[in-house]
Amino acid sequence: MNNASWLIPDADPPEWSLPADIRARDALGGRDCGWVNQMRPFIRHFSSPGHRVLDPFCGFGTTLLGAHLEGRHGLGFEIDPDRAALARERLQRHGLHADIRVGSINGLDAGRANLCLTNVPYFGCGWTGATVDGQLYLQPTYADFLSGIRGVFHAVRQTLEDGGFCIAMAQNLVVAGRRFPLAWDVARILDSLFVAHEERVLCYPAAALPANPGSTKTNRSHEYALVYQKRRETVDLKGTAEVLEALRLSGFSYELFGSFQQWQEQGQPIAARLPADADLLLPLEQDQLNALLRWLSARGFQLTLWGEPIAPSLPLETWQSHHYVRADCRGRDGSLIRLDLCCEPKSTSARG
Ligand SMILES: C[S@@+](CC[C@H](N)C(=O)[O-])C[C@H]1O[C@@H](n2cnc3c(N)ncnc32)[C@H](O)[C@@H]1O
C-alpha cells in the first residue's frame, strides 16, 4: 500500500471470487459480497503475519479469506445462519476451517483481535433472507440501524488489542431516491469509540456515461475505508486544568476522579499513562447540570451522549441511564480538551 489517499483494487481472480453456485443460493444473490483484493492491502498494512483479523459483519467470509492468504487468522461473526454456512463452505473449498460464529459480536465472547476489518451492512438493501433478531438489514428505521452499528463497534473496541486498528468500509447510499450519509454516520460512530486516523477512497472500475446537464447522479463506484485506532487520545493537559479551574471559579461543584486526578496528584512522567480525558463527578441536580452544559456549550464544547450530539439540557433520568456525558473542545491548533461528566447517585449528592 502506498500513501495515496485513494486505491483502485484489482478485481478478484476467479479462484478467489465468490463461486457462482454459492452466490445462487444466497438471499441477495451475493450482491453485497466484497472483493478479497479490496481487503488484502489493508490486512498486509495494518497487521502482521500470525495476527488475528476480526470481521464482525463477515458475510461470505471475504475478509477471512484475505486474512488466510496473508498468513493471518480470521475470526468472523455473521448473524444470518444461512450466510454463515455459505461462508464456511466457500472457505472449506480453499482448505480452510474458518472460525465463523453465528450471531452478533455484541453478546458473544470474541477473545482478542489485532485488527478489525469489515464492510458495514447497507441500509435499505431489501433483505429477503431469514428474519433473525439483530439482523441490521431488517432494522425498520435508519436510527435503529445506526444504533445497531454502534452496538457492534462498541463490542469490537472491547475485543481489539490496544493500538489495534479498526477499519470499516462504508459508502453513502441512495435508497428510493433519498440519500443516506451512511459513511459519514459510521465515521461519527467510530469517532466516539476510537481515534480517527485517515480515510482512503476505494474506487472501483465502472463504465462512465455522459451525464445530462445539471444531473447530479453519478455511477457511485466508490466507497470509504475509514481507518481508526484503539488508543488513548492525546489531550491538552494545561488547557484541561485551566477549564477545571474556570469551572470552580464559576461556582460549579465537582469531584475530579480517574486518570486526570491521579496525574494532577502524582504527576505521571510516562507519556503512555497520560490522561486521555478528565472525569468529573457532579451532584445530581437538574438546574446545576443544565447550567454546566450551557456553560460548556457557550465555550465551544461539543456535547455528546454515547456519541450522539445533544443540546445543553438533559433530564436527570438520562444522566442516570447513560452514566456520562462527554464534552469535547477542539481548538484551531488541533488541541483537544475532553471532559467526561458523570453524576453521583442521589443519596451521595452532597459530596464535591
Ligand atoms: C456487507 S455484508 C458483508 C459482506 C462481506 N464483506 C463479504 O464480502 O463477504 C454485511 C453482512 O453483515 C451481516 N449482519 C447484519 N447484521 C449483523 C449483526 N448484527 N452481526 C453480524 N452480522 C450482521 C449481514 O447478514 C451481511 O451478511
Side-chain angles (χ1 to χ4, degrees):
M1 186 178 261
N2 61 25
N3 75 347
S5 58
W6 45 269
L7 215 78
I8 306 178
D10 293 325
D12 284 342
E15 62 267 34
W16 303 128
S17 56
L18 187 64
D21 63 308
I22 292 188
R23 200 174 273 276
R25 279 184 276 144
D26 178 60
L28 291 184
R31 91 176 127 85
D32 52 344
C33 182
W35 291 356
V36 177
N37 276 346
Q38 157 197 357
M39 299 302 189
R40 288 181 76 171
F42 291 92
I43 295 168
R44 275 198 299 275
H45 197 76
F46 290 101
S47 70
S48 303
H51 270 175
R52 199 154 178 252
V53 179
L54 162 72
D55 186 344
F57 299 114
C58 106
F60 305 93
T62 305
T63 308
L64 308 194
L65 182 51
H68 167 71
L69 293 171
E70 297 296 343
R72 278 70 164 166
H73 306 287
L75 165 65
F77 287 84
E78 170 53 52
I79 199 109
D80 185 67
D82 299 330
R83 277 242 166 131
L86 293 178
R88 283 200 194 103
E89 184 177 334
R90 176 189 189 187
L91 295 172
Q92 257 158 21
R93 292 186 194 179
H94 294 282
L96 259 171
H97 291 286
D99 190 352
I100 297 177
R101 306 185 190 171
V102 179
S104 191
I105 187 174
N106 36 348
L108 294 174
D109 180 19
R112 270 267 162 269
N114 307 99
L115 167 68
C116 167
L117 180 62
T118 193
N119 262 120
V120 299
Y122 304 93
F123 179 67
C125 73
W127 176 249
T128 52
T131 302
V132 179
D133 263 1
Q135 171 54 269
L136 296 186
Y137 280 156
L138 284 177
Q139 295 307 306
T141 67
Y142 191 50
D144 292 320
F145 174 85
L146 291 178
S147 155
I149 294 273
R150 168 175 295 285
V152 166
F153 282 110
H154 190 267
V156 165
R157 191 179 62 164
Q158 284 159 344
T159 299
L160 205 57
E161 65 164 9
D162 284 339
F165 285 88
C166 174
I167 303 171
M169 296 183 181
Q171 52 185 254
N172 297 321
L173 302 171
V174 176
V175 179
R178 187 175 300 282
R179 190 172 172 278
F180 286 80
L182 176 60
W184 312 151
D185 286 326
V186 170
R188 190 173 44 79
I189 289 169
L190 295 174
D191 257 327
S192 69
L193 295 168
F194 301 95
V195 178
H197 266 265
E198 262 298 356
E199 79 274 351
R200 300 261 183 151
V201 186
L202 299 181
C203 304
Y204 300 95
L209 303 171
N212 289 330
S215 164
T216 54
K217 211 167 171 209
T218 72
N219 63 4
R220 304 197 70 78
S221 51
H222 70 283
E223 66 180 333
Y224 300 89
L226 307 168
V227 181
Y228 283 77
Q229 191 178 25
K230 179 180 171 182
R231 68 166 169 80
R232 294 171 75 75
E233 267 290 6
T234 306
V235 293
D236 174 359
L237 296 171
K238 185 168 165 279
T240 305
E242 285 166 5
V243 169
L244 293 176
E245 181 59 14
L247 276 172
R248 282 238 193 267
L249 293 174
S250 301
F252 291 106
S253 317
Y254 63 85
E255 192 177 310
L256 202 54
F257 69 102
S259 57
F260 195 87
Q261 182 249 349
Q262 285 163 13
W263 174 78
Q264 274 201 326
E265 276 183 6
Q266 302 156 16
Q268 295 273 5
I270 307 160
R273 313 236 341 240
L274 288 175
D277 55 30
D279 299 302
L280 274 65
L281 195 57
L282 304 158
L284 191 62
E285 286 165 22
Q286 182 77 78
D287 291 348
Q288 275 295 296
L289 290 169
N290 282 345
L292 173 66
L293 294 182
R294 285 196 301 274
W295 189 97
L296 291 167
S297 179
R299 282 155 185 82
F301 280 83
Q302 293 171 298
L303 307 171
T304 52
L305 189 68
W306 291 7
E308 301 299 326
I310 54 160
S313 158
L314 208 59
L316 286 186
E317 303 76 60
T318 311
W319 280 96
Q320 285 172 307
S321 59
H322 284 65
H323 308 299
Y324 76 100
V325 166
R326 174 159 285 178
D328 275 350
C329 182
R330 294 172 193 273
R332 63 168 173 238
D333 55 357
S335 61
L336 171 67
I337 297 173
R338 170 164 290 172
L339 309 181
D340 280 347
L341 312 171
C342 313
C343 271
E344 296 188 22
K346 226 176 196 147
S347 54
T348 58
S349 63
R351 270 166 42 183

